[in-house]
Amino acid sequence: MALKIVKGSIDRMFDKNLQDLVRGIRNHKEDEAKYISTCIDEIKQELKQDNIAVKANAVCKLTYLQMLGYDVSWAAFNIVEVMSSSKFTYKRIGYLAASQCFHESTDVIMLTTNQIRKDLSSPNQYDTGVALTGLSCFVTPDLARDLANDIMTLMSHTKPYIRKKAVLIMYKVFLKYPESLRPAFPRLKEKLEDPDPGVQSAAVNVICELARRNPKNYLSLAPLFFKLMTSSTNNWVLIKIIKLFGALTPLEPRLGKKLIEPLTNLIHSTSAMSLLYECVNTVIAVLISLSSGMPNHSASIQLCVQKLRILIEDSDQNLKYLGLLAMSKILKTHPKSVQSHKDLILQCLDDKDESIRLRALDLLYGMVSKKNLMEIVKKLMLHVDKAEGTTYRDELLTKIIDICSQSNYQYITNFEWYISILVELTRLEGTRHGHLIASQMLDVAIRVKAIRGFAVAQMATLLDNAHLLTGNMQRMGICEVLYAAAWICGEFSEHLENPMQTLEAMLRPKVATLPGHIQAVYVQNAAKLFATVLKSQEGNTDSTAAQETSQLMIDRLPLFVQSANLEVQERASCILQLVKYIQKLQQKDVEVAEEVSALFAGELNPVAPKAQKKVPVPEGLDLDSWINEPPSESESEDEQPKAIFAKEEPKHSRPRREEVDEKELAKRREARKQEQANNPFYIKASPSSQKVYQEAPGVEHIPVVQIDLSVPLKVPGLPMSDQYVKLEEERRQKERAEKKKKEKKKRKEKRSGRGKKHDSGPESEEDITPAHQVDIVTEEMPENALPSDDDDKDPNDPHKALDIDLDKPLADSEKLPVRSHRAAEAPKSPTEDGDATSQEPKKKSSKEKREKKKDKDRDRKKSKEEKKKKKHKHEEKGEDLLGGEAEEPVVQSEETNEVAAPPTSTSAEETATVAAAEAAPMPEATSGIAPDSEPDEPKDTEMEETKSSKHKKKKQKKEKEEKEKKKKKKHHHHHHHSDGGGEEAVQNGTVEEEEPLPPMSNYCLLAENSYVKMVYDIQGNLQDGSQVVVSVIFENKCDSFLKSMEFNVLDSLNSKLQRPEGSGPHDGLTVPFQLPPGVSNEARFVFTVQSIIMPQKLKGTLTFIVKNEDSSTHEKLDFKLHFTCTSYLITTPCYSDAFAKLLESGDLKCSSVRLEGVNMPFHHLLARICFHHHFSVVERIDSCASMYSRSIQGHHVCLLVKVSAQTVSIDAKCDEPTLLGNVLDEIKQTFSQC
Amino acid sequence: VQNTVQHVLLQAEDMQQQIIRETFHLVSKRDDNVCNFLEGGSLIGGSDYKLIYRHYATLYFVFCVDSSESELGILDLIQVFVETLDKCFENVCELDLIFHMDKVHYILQEVVMGGMVLETNMNEITTQVDVQNRMEKSEGGLSAAPARAVSAVKNMNLPEIPRNINIGDINIKVPSLSPF
């Protein structure tokens, strides 16, 4: 043995450790990937070894590789192995790896539940801490549900280190398992006043995070937080609380008023910038929530703005940034106070730091007015010219457009100016926002009628100079503008001064290089222009001009007829034929202009983008009902290939073509030419258009003439927007002068008038009249449009589920699943009572949603509900409660099977019995769900554990699929978790049809009197061969408060209660919680045992104080703790080959037992043995199964269970005969009871 | 060299690498005299998120936080984290962090847990880290005696000599090293 160890460690010398790996990677810079792949091979070898140290080392290296971006999910099972090591060193490595590599879809996570639970209850606080840290990274809904109660217990742990972690992780648990929020909240609240600052800070952290998402539920905590704010000196806590108040004040203005004073005091007094900043932020939030107009608050605004100005002026860029950020919040409600700092903000636009420039830009948005818009935009345009990097320039561009177009162009006084700004923006190189500019052009031209003439003129110039926009490859984004230009020129062609010139511009051969959708618009609008031109030309006596125009069309259109773009081709060929027909008519001297323009008669009205959505659904129309019979299942299968085809089609059509190599392409081209030459109907194309035909598919492939545009572009003939600034200034001055004149006149007319006031001072917003009489057409909406704006809230937001009312008293049914199992035959099953008590409406509604999916169950349940309604008519509880009640037992039992909620109010009892009568004994059966159900699944999993891990993965995948199928049926699934030692019901995966197991519990009664009831369960501690953990659930049965509970046991020589250091051998242990009436809670006690081969009983006493409103009494309750031999066994999976070897070894002693008259299915029998006696099934063949377990001190216990008729024979082998005998006795007893 | 601390870690490996690359790209090209905040792009989860970073010699410490955190507070937290590293590694240098990524993680886990700030008090953090390291030592550690000897031999041809960061000398202005 010793030799083996030495050999092992020599082997290990040559294993790489993490440092070697890192060094190796650094030394193999050139062939890193190759080096790492050899390392991964080594790691795989190391993982195959039995030595846990080697494995841990391997996992440690894997964690590093994962960090470098390598997929290590294949080692998930090994990570679990290392996690379950008893040594802290390895455990920590395992958990670190898990926290890095596991995510919700990692399937081995479900194997970790019991391991984590064990670590959470470990006597070593760092084991617990490591488990909590790991769990916080990979908690899943299942883990959250199964462990919520354990974590909640840890919130009252004696060590602040654990309390703090447990409190913090609760947030993650809430997110994954929202039902836990209400039961856990009271304790969380309690932790706000924890003596340890770390725990307190964690609690504040969690509650703030919760409140941020659903503030209204946390208003009732305001006084508590207010107290904390005034008393705490921890800046972290203060910042969090102040931030929280910022979220709460909008809901409760009275709170805001109260806050202003302490906050302003803090602002004046604190030296910490972070705190100052948050105070200012919250004051702003308060001021926003208070409806303005309160004179004394303007002082606060001034204070904030002043402080922010100091921040912005600070040389520290961080403060500058934050100052701007806060400023933008004030801006929303008090724009005036910010506007006075315009100088400062414009200055920030010149900052070298992009983050700061972006913030300043945001502020500008709210600072514009009719008066300063032009000035600000002018400044921004300068920045556009100077800006480096397209991102920032694009940002500027969108900001300019945002600023100008905000609130329906409210601030634009001169649309000519705006159009020219847009035109100037088209000269930006490399912008992605061509589309945005185009849509603005269209919007303005359509909606501002007065501007059309000007817009059309500008667009015509743009079209004329189109080559400047399309000249450069990089500028492709901007050619979108031509789309707008072409459309505007066509649609409003009556405003064109020289339509003929524009028509020619639109029919240039170069147009064919534009993207297809733009060409299409070109073609269509060329036709519109053609109509206009004809109209003007036919008025003249000279008819040749009109015929020339037609000829122009006929000459140029074939270019488009050959376009590869379907839309372009179709439009072009239609119009070409039309023009040919017109030409014929013209040759006969028929006047056609009227008829041609009639084609495009009528005006388009702007329609609001949401108009379609807002059309109200007519009464009596059900959009969700089937028009025809719904397609059958089999049809949907047929549909699949179709869908694939449709999806793949576009892929084939375009990019594929580019992949074809040159040779092939040339060959095809030849072939095509041949074909075309032989085809008499093929119109021979000009060389350029042929190119288009071949290469149009990708925009990048359009042949473009490169024009070097090093000189800044100036489109000739376009007015510069700057001119407008001057013009506008002049105009305004003139207006002012005129007004003055008028006023003077007025004054002259009535000298005693009060006109003087208007005389001086800056003009107000309203005084500025727009340059044109602008009639902004509003967008059309359908009649009876619904005014509501659809909420765009993300339905997947996990925080939505946490919108839970926390002030309602806690119903017992909401208790977290404790890991006890409801005893099926218990006279007063706790769940039954729990179910009956009040249900929140919220819960009910969620249940209703579930119900939708469970269509099958629905009818049954409904009828049940109705039945119940009749029964309970006399009760005040009402339908709400009944509804919840009817479903609750079903869901509960489906979900968890492990609720242990104690009875509370006797008033509820009456209801309970009825509900229970229907729901209790076989919940699955009553729920009306096919009994092939969930409890079987985890057994499969467990079963798998006995096989090789590879095999296992496959199986689990299959299982997953199955599960998903089931989910569809049932929506709710659950891993039927049994208690801590990892004992889960085991059953052969093939027997799916067998009936489900009745719920089981390992908790048995310890003692009971009129005040308190104790149930307990004992589990071995795998990490320490001499320890067992006794979990005791204390339940308060009376109407009084139970406190100062002390748990004491008279130690024997063999077994001792572990007491904290420094306490005497007879001192009791304080139970770490108090019990309000009707509440139960669990505490764990660690015992050390020496010999485990015999069962043992320990006498003990619980002392406690019963506190009423007026008096309190000291009470005690004696009990006997029964340590069975079973409780020293730990469920340990065993592979069948290992099992066979073990039996062959001959070290084991034999024993056997017979059980008569056992009347239950075989898989129930096995499940019971597994569950109550901590065994796992190694193999099962028909009615025969081998089982295995291991004691905390390493004894192997093997069973061979056979059943024939009603006789069960168990042959057993163990290396310790006394232990075996006792275990068999206990098994016998288990079955004699049922 | 970059040490990116991603609070939102649950991404697929390639996505995670892309985030780190992009982050590094963003952060490393910034001057020392610009602000330490970067607005969230779509890559790190949208506009509610910010990158907050600090630059020490050749190392960047980047935190990605949402709007529930105080920006200046996080800057302080990074300082606390780095000072803790300095204490735990005794004059931390870049190579310490590179070769002992696991230990860095253990320390970070005492500061931040599951994406939430756990502890801000440096003494408390170092105490807890020390106790756990002592536990590890008493268990023999991962690299028991013989392996360590080999390690020492391997170390002899270490090409680079660690450069010290020496936090005390770096004069980054901390706006609010308030009594945390």
Side-chain angles (χ1 to χ4, degrees), chain A residues 822 835 868 884-894 915-916 919-920 923:
Chain A
R822 182 164 42 140
D835 298 336
K868 233 168 264 175
E885 187 186 278
E887 285 157 38
E888 185 58 9
V890 174
V891 177
Q892 285 267 359
S893 49
E894 251 172 47

Side-chain angles (χ1 to χ4, degrees), chain A residues 1087-1135:
Chain A
F1087 284 78
T1088 46
V1089 283
Q1090 286 177 346
S1091 163
I1092 59 159
I1093 56 170
M1094 294 283 281
Q1096 199 176 8
K1097 278 182 184 166
L1098 288 186
K1099 275 187 186 170
T1101 319
L1102 179 79
T1103 57
F1104 52 94
I1105 294 174
V1106 182
K1107 200 181 165 210
N1108 285 321
E1109 270 169 29
D1110 37 314
S1111 66
S1112 60
T1113 53
H1114 211 99
E1115 299 286 341
K1116 70 171 200 169
L1117 173 62
D1118 292 329
F1119 57 82
K1120 264 187 195 169
L1121 261 177
H1122 190 189
F1123 290 87
T1124 56
C1125 282
T1126 290
S1127 55
Y1128 303 128
L1129 296 184
I1130 290 177
T1131 314
T1132 319
C1134 182
Y1135 301 126

Side-chain angles (χ1 to χ4, degrees), chain A residues 273 277 311-312 314-326 351 353 355-356 359, chain B residues 30-38 50-54 71-72 75-76 172-176:
Chain A
M273 273 299 184
Y277 172 68
L311 289 184
I312 297 174
D314 199 292
S315 61
D316 185 337
Q317 297 281 329
N318 291 331
L319 298 184
K320 192 178 285 236
Y321 171 86
L322 294 175
L324 289 171
L325 194 66
D351 202 284
D353 186 350
S355 301
I356 286 175
R359 286 270 72 90
Chain B
R30 287 173 70 85
D31 287 341
D32 265 350
N33 52 0
V34 300
C35 78
N36 295 359
F37 314 119
L38 273 172
K50 275 199 191 78
L51 292 176
I52 299 178
Y53 72 96
R54 285 202 132 176
E71 291 87 349
L72 296 173
L75 279 179
D76 287 348
I172 289 186
K173 192 186 164 205
V174 186
S176 54

Side-chain angles (χ1 to χ4, degrees), chain A residues 354 357 384 386-396 429:
Chain A
E354 200 177 295
R357 286 200 304 257
V384 171
K386 277 191 291 181
E388 296 158 13
T390 48
T391 9
Y392 180 59
R393 212 166 38 187
D394 278 357
E395 188 62 30
L396 274 170
E429 264 181 73

Side-chain angles (χ1 to χ4, degrees), chain A residues 228-243:
Chain A
L228 276 178
M229 184 178 82
T230 44
S231 62
S232 176
T233 51
N234 181 342
N235 277 355
W236 270 99
V237 170
L238 277 177
I239 288 176
K240 284 278 173 195
I241 293 175
I242 289 170
K243 266 186 171 276

Side-chain angles (χ1 to χ4, degrees), chain A residues 1180-1192:
Chain A
R1180 174 185 162 183
I1181 300 153
D1182 298 331
S1183 56
C1184 179
S1186 52
M1187 307 178 88
Y1188 176 79
S1189 184
R1190 216 174 112 116
S1191 79
I1192 51 173

Side-chain angles (χ1 to χ4, degrees), chain A residues 284 301 304-305 308 326-335 338:
Chain A
I284 294 169
I301 280 278
C304 288
V305 176
L308 288 180
M327 229 18 147
S328 64
K329 287 178 194 155
I330 301 187
L331 186 69
K332 279 171 204 149
T333 47
H334 300 81
V338 183

Side-chain angles (χ1 to χ4, degrees), chain A residues 74 81 86 104 193 206 244 280 489 574 626 818 882 921 957 1104 1140 1176 1201 1209:
Chain A
W74 49 269
E81 279 180 315
S86 58
E104 281 213 4
E193 291 174 298
V206 171
L244 173 69
V280 169
C489 285
C574 269
W626 288 99
V818 182
L882 290 170
K957 259 182 211 163
F1104 52 94
S1176 65
V1201 186
S1209 69

